[in-house]
Amino acid sequence: MAKKQQNAISPTRGQDYPEWYQQVVRAADLAENSPARGCMVIKPWGWAIWENMQRILDRRFKETGHVNAYFPLFIPMSFLEKEAEHVEGFAKECAVVTHHRLEPNPEGGLVPAGPLEEPLIVRPTSETIIGAMYAKWVQSYRDLPIKINQWANVVRWEMRPRVFLRTAEFLWQEGHTVHATAEEAMEETRMMLDVYADFAANVMAVPVIKGEKTPDERFPGAVSTFTIEAMMQDHKALQAGTSHFLGQNFSKAQEIKFLNADGQETFGWTTSWGVSTRLIGALIMTHSDDDGLILPPRLAPKHVVILPIYRNDEEQARVLEYARKLADEIQSQRFADERIEVELDDRDMRGGEKNWFHIKRGVPIRLEVGPRDVEGDAVFMGRRDLSPKEKTSMKRPEFVASVGSILEEIQKTLLERATSFRDAATTKVDSLKELEEYFAPVKEGFEGGFAYGHWADDPAVTETLKKMKLTVRCIPLDGDEEPGQCLITGKPSAKRVIYAKAY
Amino acid sequence: MAKKQQNAISPTRGQDYPEWYQQVVRAADLAENSPARGCMVIKPWGWAIWENMQRILDRRFKETGHVNAYFPLFIPMSFLEKEAEHVEGFAKECAVVTHHRLEPNPEGGLVPAGPLEEPLIVRPTSETIIGAMYAKWVQSYRDLPIKINQWANVVRWEMRPRVFLRTAEFLWQEGHTVHATAEEAMEETRMMLDVYADFAANVMAVPVIKGEKTPDERFPGAVSTFTIEAMMQDHKALQAGTSHFLGQNFSKAQEIKFLNADGQETFGWTTSWGVSTRLIGALIMTHSDDDGLILPPRLAPKHVVILPIYRNDEEQARVLEYARKLADEIQSQRFADERIEVELDDRDMRGGEKNWFHIKRGVPIRLEVGPRDVEGDAVFMGRRDLSPKEKTSMKRPEFVASVGSILEEIQKTLLERATSFRDAATTKVDSLKELEEYFAPVKEGFEGGFAYGHWADDPAVTETLKKMKLTVRCIPLDGDEEPGQCLITGKPSAKRVIYAKAY
């Protein structure tokens, strides 16, 4: 009788991708739903990943000339109304504060009391409240540019929340800048898109396509929205970050104006850009497998876990002494110019269970050390990018000397694997029929991928795509400048766009 | 005619202390009020101080065995009701979310729509929502202790907001722990109080008195509340951090229970502890003078600013080359085990104006370098802890070699100065008459200080103090164990408490 292959995560990706995702989150203890509807609790292992993302992104923002600040959680309702498209885009998902205290209810419990004269909106994004401050701060061209970022929580009411991907409250950073010229603002918009794309590829090991959004998909109030788009393992696209050129739309609505060098009053040119805890969802769905989370080393809270194995007190003493020394040696090594984080897991727990605990949490390198390894001055290494069964014995000094480069190699492997995966699920389509066939459901539950095809900005296109549950992800910046005809309308098209199903 | 002494801040501390505070905040560009009532905008220089506080505190939390996580902004209203004293304490200052979208108002503008079945409270503190999660996570004594911290924004509606000191929204960290025994929970409570006291003294250079709050001043729902109390330059006390032993009050209200080693169901023992952006207010009011902010070097976003002085292009080239080299040399030095942050301020601005810009922002060391300094291989140093006029010429190599120890010296001086100031405004009182006299208004606008006197827990005491606008700050942990009689009731008292006016 053939032994059945067992995986740590059930169902597998092929069986039920959305449920697999939830189970990976649970098995890695990253986050869970909270009693406040639509809001998640980010647990310590998930939070440590977000801290790493924050630290690395924050450094890049500072290197590109930005400073951090903090703006209020609440936005007066009237502020939202100033930019017509903006309020249209966010009105349906605003949490509204209407009272400022609670009173005992004569029938028991409490009731809201102290009604506010003007309701306050819990920020869904901060263009309007930050713009109101910028209008005060900007007087002269000498005050420009203003390049400020904030790390904050925002709320967009969600009817169908999914942890990390779509939650009522999420955490993000939002950069907001003002410039004296359109050129400079566009340069900033594109520079931050590059920062995001580089972070995705080289830190998250998630390859992304940089592109511009079509008018339907623009940020409400923006002149143009740029995006980085990643492909998940179910072949669906995930928008991982956006950078908006806002033109003078917000500065006119909010009177952000200045005297230019010639003494003329001019409206500022603004941008905004953000990434959120959604990136953790992208990370999970790009790399993880049917045994759970796989973390790129650059974001792993722990790079190496040491699992001591012993049967009695005498062995325990020898093995732990060896393991502690090993941990110290590894910590003195560097990876990506940072400390290598090591955990010596000496909890009282079955060896197999402990090993799987760390596999499911995605720790890049596991080292088993038992009495025989102590004797042979060796370690028994498992790499999270390889099968759990594939383990290698290495001499201790050899491992210590190469741990940094092994982590580099894992990082590189994950990016290559994700890139190949995406490229294999990418095609060109030249007719509506080809588009339909490409997105016809496939047996394994995964469907389609990225289809490069011609397109025109037309209501008929929007309608057809809506019926097909397809979206235009972006007009790729690096795409071929090869003209053609829109797949749906036959209208002239300058460049292929990416059609895909999307999160 | 005697030249009138000019100060950068008007009014001075002696003229109008509360207004002086506002002007220091403005002159240092730390923060300002926002259009969302009671909420502040923390500007880049203020935020950079908070980032330094966060980084150093976060490291200490991790060193003492805590991990970070993140819990929701919203708390279902019914959760607050579970602990009776707790809801009593916070009901009057809760921001309440009652709707989840906006609709066009037929009369113009927008109106809240989509009423929630159960209103959500914007967290004023997170015991109840975190406790609900802990109740799920804790099953067995093996799950204990849980030691989690979160960095978050909280909202407590304020009728009389004052930037940093009392704002509707503020930022803080809140630690929440669960333990198997009362002893362990009390040990945690006291350990975190020590962490706060050490941070205040050795990082903020703010001396504090550790003590226990009297029952009237306890955190709503706590068994005991410990505090660190600092004295501001107007002689008023400021509560700078608190650590609460919650006993089993919250675990009983929320069913945080576990099976102990003997298989018996037991309620957990919980603690919570926090410090907030209020610390920035304490920092300002402890050290600053009539020329503006003074920053202890350990929290200064910039330690050294270099101010190049030149009259023509030829001088400019020489001076800037020298200044850049100097900046590099300083950056290679260390202070408090961290990088020394240097700014070379080459903005086109009058020399005097630029000098005062950095004085008002509290930069610890200013270095003027002009052609004569280049020639003499020297720097002209101003220290923020000394008078603006008191400047010293030093040889460049000598300055570079000693910059770390000069910063240490400034740090030490600030703590010593604040400690002497506090001690000079501290007394013992042995009768109600003495207490009244001590707090009788004094000519310069400052009044009283810390009065150590005997006390009893009695409604008559509460009433008398209320009339005198006095509070009991704490029962000092290190106070003399010298029994006596309550100043007001004559009842026996085991230990003197601190009477003071307070923020």
Side-chain angles (χ1 to χ4, degrees), chain A residues 32 34-36 41-44 47 51 62 68-70 72-74 77 79 81 87 91 94 96-102 110 133 136-137 153 157 159 169, chain B residues 32 34-36 41-44 47 51 62 68-70 72-74 77 79 81 91 94 96-102 110 133 136-137 153 157 159 169:
Chain A
E32 59 188 69
S34 85
V41 173
I42 305 179
K43 298 183 78 174
W47 186 260
E51 274 184 5
K62 285 172 179 161
N68 287 332
Y70 187 77
L73 173 67
F74 296 136
M77 188 168 72
F79 278 47
E81 296 169 13
V87 67
C94 284
V96 191
V97 176
T98 55
H99 294 75
H100 67 81
R101 57 189 166 85
L102 298 172
L110 298 166
M133 301 311 297
K136 289 175 62 184
W137 299 347
N153 50 348
W157 206 260
M159 288 306 179
E169 181 191 19
Chain B
E32 58 188 72
S34 85
V41 173
I42 305 180
K43 299 183 78 174
W47 186 260
E51 273 184 5
K62 284 171 179 162
N68 287 332
Y70 187 77
L73 174 67
F74 296 136
M77 188 169 70
F79 278 47
E81 297 169 12
C94 283
V96 191
V97 176
T98 55
H99 294 75
H100 67 80
R101 57 190 164 85
L102 298 171
L110 298 167
M133 301 312 296
K136 288 174 63 184
W137 299 347
N153 51 348
W157 205 261
M159 287 308 179
E169 181 191 20

XYZ file of all heavy atoms in Angstrom, chain A residues 32 34-36 41-44 47 51 62 68-70 72-74 77 79 81 87 91 94 96-102 110 133 136-137 153 157 159 169, chain B residues 32 34-36 41-44 47 51 62 68-70 72-74 77 79 81 91 94 96-102 110 133 136-137 153 157 159 169:
643
model
N -5.562 36.847 13.754
C -6.888 36.244 13.771
C -7.955 37.325 13.782
O -7.661 38.496 13.981
C -7.060 35.249 14.925
C -6.859 35.777 16.303
C -6.868 34.634 17.340
O -5.914 33.817 17.357
O -7.827 34.564 18.120
N -11.110 39.489 15.098
C -11.392 40.008 16.436
C -12.888 40.153 16.609
O -13.644 40.104 15.644
C -10.729 41.366 16.605
O -11.574 42.376 16.081
N -13.334 40.380 17.847
C -14.773 40.577 18.079
C -15.270 41.891 17.468
O -16.468 42.046 17.284
C -14.886 40.638 19.603
C -13.580 40.131 20.145
C -12.565 40.394 19.101
N -14.369 42.832 17.166
C -14.802 44.059 16.489
C -14.861 43.722 15.007
O -13.831 43.503 14.363
C -13.827 45.198 16.760
N -6.663 40.983 14.726
C -5.603 41.059 15.726
C -4.350 40.538 15.037
O -4.360 39.421 14.509
C -5.927 40.171 16.942
C -4.744 40.112 17.896
C -7.173 40.681 17.643
N -3.300 41.340 15.007
C -2.041 40.877 14.430
C -1.211 40.312 15.574
O -0.851 41.026 16.509
C -1.296 42.015 13.702
C -2.226 42.649 12.649
C -0.028 41.484 13.051
C -1.601 43.798 11.874
N -0.945 39.012 15.506
C -0.271 38.338 16.627
C 1.247 38.522 16.530
O 1.768 39.008 15.529
C -0.703 36.873 16.638
C -2.230 36.754 16.856
C -2.710 35.329 16.948
C -2.413 34.760 18.324
N -3.018 33.401 18.452
N 1.967 38.182 17.605
C 3.396 38.543 17.637
C 4.225 38.113 16.423
O 5.044 38.904 15.936
C 3.880 37.867 18.924
C 2.678 37.936 19.824
C 1.505 37.673 18.901
N 3.207 40.380 13.602
C 3.636 41.744 13.877
C 5.133 41.903 13.639
O 5.599 42.940 13.136
C 3.279 42.156 15.308
C 3.594 43.596 15.519
C 4.702 44.109 16.136
C 2.838 44.714 15.037
N 4.669 45.473 16.082
C 3.545 45.875 15.412
C 1.640 44.844 14.325
C 3.088 47.157 15.104
C 1.192 46.120 14.017
C 1.898 47.252 14.402
N 6.958 44.671 11.478
C 8.048 45.519 12.005
C 9.250 45.513 11.061
O 9.860 46.551 10.832
C 8.502 45.038 13.389
C 7.697 45.609 14.523
C 8.224 45.201 15.907
O 9.284 44.541 16.008
O 7.549 45.532 16.885
N 13.448 57.590 4.222
C 14.370 58.621 4.717
C 15.508 58.849 3.731
O 15.899 59.987 3.478
C 14.858 58.256 6.122
C 13.755 58.512 7.161
C 14.062 58.007 8.560
C 12.895 58.360 9.501
N 12.873 57.557 10.737
N 9.127 61.715 8.785
C 7.869 61.229 9.326
C 7.192 62.286 10.180
O 7.849 63.153 10.756
C 8.103 59.981 10.186
C 8.439 58.761 9.354
O 8.030 58.656 8.201
N 9.196 57.840 9.930
N 5.879 62.185 10.269
C 5.089 63.043 11.153
C 3.823 62.257 11.491
O 3.696 61.087 11.108
C 4.749 64.359 10.460
N 2.906 62.899 12.212
C 1.666 62.200 12.547
C 0.486 63.161 12.510
O 0.524 64.221 13.120
C 1.758 61.543 13.929
C 0.547 60.684 14.204
C 0.422 59.431 13.623
C -0.495 61.156 14.999
C -0.704 58.648 13.835
C -1.624 60.383 15.216
C -1.721 59.132 14.631
O -2.844 58.357 14.825
N -4.032 63.588 12.571
C -5.115 63.022 13.385
C -5.864 61.841 12.749
O -6.015 61.762 11.532
C -6.076 64.197 13.568
C -5.273 65.402 13.322
C -4.257 65.010 12.303
N -6.351 60.986 13.629
C -7.196 59.853 13.263
C -8.533 60.318 12.691
O -9.115 59.650 11.839
C -7.456 59.032 14.542
C -8.445 57.884 14.491
C -7.915 56.766 13.590
C -8.712 57.331 15.893
N -9.014 61.457 13.185
C -10.355 61.920 12.810
C -10.316 63.032 11.760
O -9.472 63.923 11.837
C -11.100 62.464 14.034
C -11.365 61.430 15.088
C -11.158 61.729 16.431
C -11.824 60.161 14.753
C -11.407 60.779 17.422
C -12.081 59.208 15.739
C -11.865 59.518 17.074
N -16.287 65.766 8.879
C -17.041 65.283 7.708
C -16.969 66.263 6.544
O -16.843 65.854 5.388
C -18.495 65.011 8.099
C -19.297 64.326 7.005
S -20.899 63.714 7.598
C -21.773 65.274 7.814
N -14.614 68.067 5.550
C -13.351 68.040 4.812
C -13.421 67.075 3.633
O -12.859 67.327 2.582
C -12.206 67.595 5.728
C -11.659 68.694 6.565
C -12.497 69.542 7.265
C -10.298 68.891 6.664
C -11.991 70.564 8.040
C -9.785 69.913 7.434
C -10.630 70.743 8.126
N -15.880 66.357 1.884
C -16.763 66.826 0.804
C -16.052 67.711 -0.212
O -16.546 67.926 -1.310
C -17.936 67.629 1.403
C -18.830 66.778 2.290
C -19.813 67.629 3.095
O -19.974 68.823 2.783
O -20.425 67.097 4.035
N -14.733 62.041 -2.177
C -15.807 61.662 -1.252
C -16.674 60.569 -1.873
O -17.063 59.614 -1.208
C -16.640 62.887 -0.801
C -17.433 63.482 -1.936
C -17.561 62.508 0.336
N -17.201 57.480 0.560
C -18.387 57.677 1.410
C -19.031 56.360 1.845
O -19.553 56.258 2.955
C -19.413 58.550 0.683
N -17.107 54.547 5.260
C -16.576 55.380 6.346
C -17.145 55.007 7.705
O -18.362 54.974 7.874
C -16.955 56.842 6.105
S -15.964 57.615 4.854
N -18.158 56.371 11.144
C -18.530 57.733 11.528
C -18.702 57.846 13.041
O -19.492 57.108 13.643
C -19.862 58.156 10.850
C -20.095 59.648 11.035
C -19.868 57.782 9.371
N -17.952 58.764 13.643
C -18.090 59.046 15.079
C -19.121 60.160 15.229
O -18.967 61.237 14.657
C -16.752 59.515 15.689
C -16.930 59.899 17.162
C -15.692 58.444 15.547
N -20.174 59.878 15.985
C -21.262 60.857 16.125
C -21.453 61.333 17.563
O -22.149 62.307 17.795
C -22.591 60.245 15.645
O -22.796 59.028 16.384
C -22.563 59.940 14.154
N -20.853 60.627 18.536
C -21.058 60.968 19.951
C -19.727 60.917 20.695
O -18.816 60.213 20.281
C -22.041 59.983 20.604
C -23.431 60.077 20.056
N -23.774 59.579 18.815
C -24.565 60.622 20.584
C -25.067 59.821 18.596
N -25.563 60.449 19.642
N -19.664 61.646 21.836
C -18.398 61.659 22.555
C -18.480 61.155 23.984
O -17.565 61.359 24.785
C -17.720 63.032 22.477
C -18.443 64.123 23.195
N -18.337 64.299 24.547
C -19.273 65.082 22.744
C -19.079 65.340 24.906
N -19.661 65.834 23.838
N -19.582 60.525 24.329
C -19.594 59.806 25.607
C -20.695 58.756 25.640
O -21.476 58.649 24.690
C -19.701 60.764 26.787
C -20.890 61.677 26.767
C -20.768 62.741 27.869
N -21.726 63.810 27.637
C -22.999 63.795 28.035
N -23.466 62.755 28.711
N -23.814 64.789 27.741
N -20.701 57.989 26.731
C -21.720 56.964 26.923
C -22.487 57.293 28.198
O -21.911 57.811 29.148
C -21.062 55.588 27.073
C -20.265 55.099 25.875
C -19.508 53.833 26.234
C -21.178 54.858 24.670
N -25.626 50.683 28.123
C -25.200 52.045 27.837
C -25.807 52.535 26.533
O -26.181 51.741 25.681
C -23.677 52.088 27.711
C -22.848 51.693 28.933
C -21.400 51.461 28.539
C -22.944 52.774 30.007
N -3.570 70.966 6.619
C -2.382 71.456 7.321
C -1.389 72.048 6.313
O -0.804 73.109 6.561
C -1.701 70.328 8.108
C -2.568 69.632 9.162
S -3.472 70.719 10.313
C -2.121 71.530 11.162
N -1.813 75.539 5.389
C -1.287 76.513 6.351
C 0.234 76.623 6.252
O 0.798 77.690 6.468
C -1.625 76.078 7.788
C -3.090 76.199 8.162
C -3.351 75.643 9.554
C -2.594 76.406 10.645
N -2.797 75.771 11.980
N 0.887 75.519 6.009
C 2.352 75.490 6.070
C 3.030 76.046 4.815
O 4.179 76.466 4.867
C 2.853 74.058 6.323
C 2.372 73.474 7.614
C 1.771 74.156 8.648
C 2.424 72.101 8.026
N 1.466 73.287 9.665
C 1.845 72.027 9.304
C 2.895 70.926 7.428
C 1.733 70.825 10.017
C 2.793 69.737 8.126
C 2.214 69.689 9.404
N -2.952 53.818 11.329
C -4.069 52.904 11.070
C -5.146 53.680 10.309
O -5.336 54.872 10.535
C -4.622 52.326 12.375
C -4.928 53.384 13.424
O -4.536 54.542 13.290
N -5.631 53.004 14.474
N -14.714 50.532 5.864
C -15.673 49.512 6.260
C -15.731 48.400 5.221
O -15.856 48.676 4.031
C -17.056 50.125 6.456
C -17.839 49.300 7.404
C -18.783 48.381 7.087
C -17.702 49.297 8.815
N -19.259 47.800 8.227
C -18.609 48.342 9.300
C -16.899 49.996 9.720
C -18.748 48.072 10.661
C -17.038 49.742 11.060
C -17.947 48.782 11.521
N -17.473 44.726 3.987
C -18.566 43.785 4.178
C -18.065 42.338 4.175
O -18.637 41.484 4.817
C -19.643 43.996 3.115
C -20.436 45.281 3.345
S -21.125 45.339 5.042
C -21.950 46.930 5.017
N -10.110 47.769 9.635
C -8.943 48.547 10.059
C -7.708 47.884 9.465
O -7.568 46.661 9.524
C -8.804 48.555 11.583
C -7.601 49.380 12.046
C -7.251 49.204 13.534
O -7.671 48.200 14.139
O -6.542 50.060 14.068
N 1.181 71.001 16.381
C 0.176 72.057 16.447
C -1.214 71.459 16.529
O -1.408 70.250 16.332
C 0.317 73.055 15.288
C 0.220 72.501 13.906
C 0.575 73.583 12.860
O 1.757 73.947 12.748
O -0.340 74.032 12.169
N -5.035 70.650 15.433
C -5.586 70.291 14.121
C -7.039 70.716 14.040
O -7.649 71.048 15.061
C -5.496 68.789 13.919
O -6.618 68.160 14.508
N -7.601 70.688 12.838
C -9.017 71.039 12.694
C -9.943 70.006 13.349
O -11.102 70.316 13.610
C -9.239 71.038 11.176
C -7.878 71.036 10.563
C -6.971 70.401 11.545
N -9.434 68.788 13.597
C -10.258 67.806 14.316
C -10.097 68.130 15.793
O -9.026 67.941 16.367
C -9.793 66.390 14.010
N -1.446 67.577 15.553
C -0.560 67.129 14.485
C 0.843 67.133 15.079
O 1.281 68.166 15.597
C -0.610 68.087 13.281
C 0.450 67.713 12.251
C -2.001 68.094 12.663
N 1.506 66.007 15.044
C 2.887 65.958 15.540
C 3.794 66.182 14.343
O 3.797 65.382 13.400
C 3.185 64.618 16.238
C 2.160 64.369 17.347
C 4.606 64.630 16.810
C 2.362 63.057 18.095
N 4.532 67.287 14.367
C 5.340 67.679 13.212
C 6.687 66.936 13.212
O 7.036 66.275 14.194
C 5.487 69.205 13.215
C 4.100 69.882 13.089
C 4.183 71.384 13.012
C 4.596 71.816 11.612
N 4.531 73.321 11.507
N 7.418 66.994 12.104
C 8.604 66.126 11.974
C 9.598 66.189 13.145
O 10.086 65.148 13.582
C 9.228 66.602 10.661
C 8.031 66.998 9.837
C 7.103 67.664 10.826
N 7.983 64.453 16.038
C 7.857 63.025 15.766
C 9.200 62.311 15.911
O 9.271 61.183 16.399
C 7.278 62.789 14.366
C 7.024 61.344 14.147
C 7.793 60.460 13.468
C 5.922 60.581 14.689
N 7.255 59.207 13.539
C 6.115 59.256 14.279
C 4.821 60.908 15.487
C 5.221 58.233 14.631
C 3.935 59.894 15.833
C 4.140 58.588 15.412
N 9.983 59.039 17.988
C 10.629 57.845 17.408
C 11.805 57.391 18.277
O 12.000 56.204 18.480
C 11.152 58.145 15.991
C 10.116 57.930 14.915
C 10.676 58.126 13.498
O 11.890 58.337 13.325
O 9.862 58.067 12.554
N 11.582 44.531 24.997
C 12.004 43.237 24.458
C 13.033 42.585 25.379
O 12.979 41.384 25.620
C 12.513 43.411 23.021
C 11.324 43.596 22.051
C 11.723 43.978 20.637
C 10.445 44.111 19.769
N 10.650 44.858 18.532
N 5.744 42.382 20.756
C 4.728 43.322 20.285
C 3.647 42.605 19.486
O 3.895 41.573 18.873
C 5.359 44.398 19.401
C 6.181 45.390 20.199
O 5.916 45.628 21.379
N 7.192 45.967 19.566
N 2.475 43.190 19.469
C 1.365 42.697 18.647
C 0.471 43.901 18.398
O 0.813 45.028 18.785
C 0.611 41.590 19.372
N -0.661 43.662 17.725
C -1.563 44.776 17.462
C -3.023 44.332 17.579
O -3.423 43.332 16.979
C -1.315 45.368 16.070
C -2.130 46.623 15.849
C -1.733 47.823 16.422
C -3.323 46.588 15.127
C -2.497 48.973 16.270
C -4.094 47.728 14.975
C -3.672 48.921 15.549
O -4.426 50.044 15.412
N -7.365 45.614 17.802
C -8.205 46.562 17.051
C -8.404 47.926 17.716
O -8.433 48.044 18.937
C -9.544 45.837 16.941
C -9.234 44.411 17.129
C -8.087 44.374 18.097
N -8.597 48.908 16.851
C -8.939 50.269 17.256
C -10.309 50.333 17.918
O -10.547 51.154 18.794
C -8.951 51.149 15.989
C -9.420 52.588 16.091
C -8.450 53.407 16.939
C -9.545 53.212 14.703
N -11.221 49.466 17.465
C -12.607 49.533 17.934
C -12.911 48.474 18.991
O -12.476 47.332 18.869
C -13.577 49.321 16.762
C -13.496 50.398 15.706
C -13.494 50.056 14.360
C -13.424 51.739 16.056
C -13.426 51.036 13.380
C -13.363 52.728 15.077
C -13.363 52.373 13.733
N -19.301 48.143 22.259
C -19.730 48.857 23.462
C -19.958 47.908 24.640
O -19.609 48.220 25.778
C -20.996 49.669 23.171
C -21.394 50.597 24.297
S -22.703 51.753 23.803
C -24.102 50.634 23.639
N -18.404 45.337 25.521
C -17.174 44.888 26.177
C -16.800 45.797 27.343
O -16.301 45.356 28.356
C -16.006 44.872 25.185
C -15.966 43.655 24.328
C -17.095 43.199 23.693
C -14.783 42.957 24.169
C -17.062 42.079 22.896
C -14.738 41.829 23.373
C -15.874 41.393 22.741
N -18.704 47.359 29.237
C -19.637 47.244 30.364
C -19.238 46.152 31.346
O -19.713 46.120 32.479
C -21.059 46.957 29.852
C -21.611 48.081 28.997
C -22.899 47.666 28.276
O -23.485 46.614 28.602
O -23.317 48.418 27.367
N -16.535 56.066 30.519
C -17.758 56.348 29.750
C -17.882 57.819 29.346
O -18.395 58.128 28.275
C -18.987 55.918 30.548
N -15.621 58.802 25.784
C -15.512 57.837 24.684
C -15.979 58.418 23.350
O -17.097 58.926 23.257
C -16.411 56.639 24.966
S -15.697 55.532 26.163
N -17.637 57.575 20.005
C -18.516 56.462 19.665
C -18.808 56.439 18.159
O -19.311 57.422 17.605
C -19.868 56.563 20.429
C -20.657 55.259 20.271
C -19.642 56.895 21.898
N -18.499 55.299 17.522
C -18.822 55.107 16.106
C -20.199 54.472 16.028
O -20.429 53.409 16.607
C -17.800 54.180 15.412
C -18.201 53.903 13.967
C -16.401 54.782 15.478
N -21.115 55.137 15.331
C -22.488 54.634 15.275
C -22.944 54.282 13.854
O -23.969 53.643 13.683
C -23.470 55.693 15.821
O -23.267 56.907 15.080
C -23.241 55.953 17.307
N -22.188 54.732 12.844
C -22.592 54.512 11.451
C -21.396 54.069 10.625
O -20.248 54.367 10.977
C -23.169 55.799 10.845
C -24.459 56.231 11.470
N -24.518 56.808 12.716
C -25.746 56.161 11.014
C -25.781 57.077 13.020
N -26.553 56.699 12.004
N -21.663 53.378 9.492
C -20.541 52.894 8.704
C -20.504 53.419 7.263
O -19.792 52.890 6.418
C -20.426 51.375 8.746
C -21.551 50.651 8.072
N -21.616 50.476 6.721
C -22.642 50.051 8.584
C -22.697 49.797 6.424
N -23.349 49.530 7.529
N -21.311 54.436 6.983
C -21.130 55.107 5.696
C -21.765 56.501 5.712
O -22.404 56.892 6.705
C -21.664 54.271 4.536
C -23.109 53.888 4.628
C -23.458 52.860 3.548
N -24.709 52.236 3.856
C -25.914 52.724 3.533
N -26.004 53.851 2.866
N -27.023 52.090 3.884
N -21.550 57.222 4.610
C -22.127 58.558 4.470
C -23.035 58.545 3.255
O -22.753 57.869 2.270
C -21.016 59.596 4.264
C -20.016 59.742 5.408
C -18.857 60.633 4.991
C -20.685 60.286 6.666
N -23.452 65.855 3.445
C -23.550 64.425 3.709
C -24.222 64.179 5.053
O -24.209 65.046 5.923
C -22.139 63.822 3.759
C -21.302 63.905 2.482
C -19.854 63.566 2.792
C -21.855 62.952 1.421
N -9.318 38.538 23.794
C -8.444 37.653 23.026
C -7.679 36.721 23.966
O -7.561 35.527 23.703
C -7.446 38.463 22.187
C -8.055 39.433 21.190
S -9.372 38.780 20.119
C -8.482 37.536 19.184
N -9.334 33.618 24.990
C -9.280 32.527 24.009
C -7.906 31.843 24.008
O -7.803 30.650 23.774
C -9.521 33.076 22.585
C -10.944 33.506 22.310
C -11.056 34.165 20.938
C -10.718 33.200 19.800
N -10.733 33.906 18.479
N -6.875 32.644 24.210
C -5.513 32.126 24.043
C -4.998 31.348 25.262
O -4.095 30.535 25.150
C -4.532 33.276 23.741
C -4.838 34.013 22.480
C -5.710 33.624 21.489
C -4.301 35.277 22.055
N -5.737 34.570 20.479
C -4.881 35.592 20.803
C -3.385 36.169 22.608
C -4.583 36.752 20.101
C -3.073 37.328 21.912
C -3.672 37.614 20.666
N -2.616 54.270 18.847
C -3.295 55.520 19.169
C -4.534 55.200 20.000
O -5.164 54.157 19.804
C -3.677 56.272 17.882
C -4.434 55.412 16.886
O -4.497 54.183 17.022
N -5.004 56.030 15.870
N -11.946 61.656 25.001
C -12.480 62.963 24.652
C -12.058 64.004 25.684
O -12.185 63.799 26.873
C -14.007 62.902 24.548
C -14.474 63.970 23.650
C -14.981 65.177 24.007
C -14.433 63.948 22.222
N -15.263 65.910 22.886
C -14.942 65.183 21.783
C -14.016 63.010 21.282
C -15.046 65.502 20.435
C -14.116 63.321 19.949
C -14.634 64.554 19.529
N -12.192 68.048 26.969
C -12.865 69.330 26.833
C -11.855 70.481 26.788
O -12.103 71.507 26.182
C -13.875 69.537 27.970
C -15.112 68.653 27.789
S -15.843 68.842 26.114
C -17.206 67.696 26.195
N -6.875 62.529 20.905
C -6.120 61.378 20.422
C -4.695 61.525 20.937
O -4.115 62.606 20.851
C -6.084 61.335 18.891
C -5.311 60.115 18.370
C -5.022 60.169 16.860
O -5.064 61.265 16.277
O -4.738 59.115 16.282
